[in-house]
Amino acid sequence: MAVDAKFNKSRSENLNVGTQSWSYQQDWPDLNFSVTGIEKQGFLGRGEGLLRSAGLQMNYKFSRSVPSYTTSSYNPRESRSLAPRLNLTLRSGLTLSLNTSVGTERTMNSGALAVTERFNTNLQIRHSFRAEGILVKLGLYKPGVQPTVNLDVDISYNKDTTSRWNPDAEFDGDPETEIGSSRIGINPR
């Protein structure tokens, strides 16, 4: 098991002819947690089950920034994301990797609020196996050749939604506008 925590904070000041502005950036918490050897746990068969190896990784990050603010302009941004990843290798050699990411970004611009929510998930399936037995049955096998078949499939789902409130709106009410998109992808190779 491993845990990694990061902290970043910066502030800068810009002086130009007749103007002064500042920028601020802070990332905290920025956490990464990972566990390997999950296949050895009792609920997965203590190494005698279907899994050859298994690991879990979890990332969480919160960021706050204010780019180029002045005494009359202040447009903060906040974002947070959570991204778990599960990797499994079965005894047969089949590997599965499930990646998911959930995030929210809040941006103020001249008093208007925009909130973007994102959800992404991706399943990768990989397997390589020797094809001699299949080719013999089909009468296509040539001695001395070691044919292999590679199976690669990526399945993904992505969705994002952006809600906007005008400067004079109540931010806890319904948004003035809402746009978004979603996508499903299946990519065999």
Side-chain angles (χ1 to χ4, degrees), residues 58-166:
M58 181 81 67
N59 298 316
Y60 175 78
K61 184 175 183 179
F62 177 76
S63 296
R64 179 177 291 135
S65 66
V66 185
S68 298
Y69 66 92
T70 65
T71 55
S72 62
S73 173
Y74 184 79
N75 297 312
R77 296 179 189 163
E78 288 184 353
S79 67
R80 63 185 79 227
S81 63
L82 178 66
R85 178 183 178 125
L86 178 64
N87 295 309
L88 304 172
T89 302
L90 281 61
R91 294 234 176 256
S92 65
L94 179 77
T95 62
L96 303 166
S97 181
L98 178 62
N99 304 304
T100 301
S101 175
V102 179
T104 302
E105 182 175 303
R106 296 173 56 91
T107 305
M108 293 287 291
N109 191 355
S110 299
L113 173 66
V115 177
T116 302
E117 296 178 345
R118 292 183 177 88
F119 175 78
N120 301 310
T121 189
N122 184 31
L123 174 64
Q124 298 172 332
I125 304 168
R126 307 278 186 265
H127 190 53
S128 293
F129 55 92
R130 295 179 68 177
E132 294 168 354
I134 295 170
L135 293 176
V136 167
K137 290 178 183 178
L138 295 174
L140 300 172
Y141 178 69
K142 295 181 181 178
V145 177
Q146 296 181 353
T148 59
V149 174
N150 296 321
L151 168 71
D152 293 337
V153 179
D154 293 338
I155 302 168
S156 62
Y157 174 73
N158 305 308
K159 181 179 180 181
D160 66 81
T161 304
T162 300
S163 303
R164 290 190 175 92
W165 289 263
N166 291 332

Side-chain angles (χ1 to χ4, degrees), residues 15-37:
L15 295 172
N16 292 319
V17 177
T19 62
Q20 183 177 13
S21 65
W22 300 268
S23 293
Y24 172 83
Q25 171 74 37
Q26 179 175 317
D27 300 329
W28 176 254
D30 186 354
L31 304 171
N32 183 4
F33 170 76
S34 62
V35 178
T36 57

